[in-house]
Amino acid sequence: MPTNEKEINCYLFDQLSILERIEAVTDDEKALAQIAIERRQIERKLYQFPPLVSDGK
């Protein structure tokens, strides 16, 4: 389990990389639509404000 925001961000970037690799090898429109949905959800977590993890300040 990630313990800080940097670890969480790395995990989310890894997920985006996986989606990009899958997207590069598929022509299935339903799969591409689902990839777009997943990407939006990951980006929402990645770029949210305030951050996912509070630093206690």
Side-chain angles (χ1 to χ4, degrees):
M1 180 87 180
T3 58
N4 61 44
E5 188 170 359
K6 184 176 179 178
E7 288 180 61
I8 293 170
N9 286 346
C10 288
Y11 176 69
L12 293 171
F13 279 120
D14 287 344
Q15 289 182 342
L16 286 174
S17 295
I18 291 167
L19 290 177
E20 289 171 357
R21 289 193 301 264
I22 295 169
E23 187 176 37
V25 297
T26 189
D27 292 328
D28 182 0
E29 291 300 319
K30 287 184 179 182
L32 292 172
Q34 186 63 40
I35 289 169
I37 292 168
E38 298 298 329
R39 176 175 285 127
R40 284 193 304 271
Q41 291 175 353
I42 293 167
E43 288 175 347
R44 188 175 330 143
K45 294 173 190 175
L46 186 60
Y47 301 116
Q48 81 172 23
F49 188 81
L52 288 172
V53 178
S54 174
D55 60 4
K57 292 182 181 177

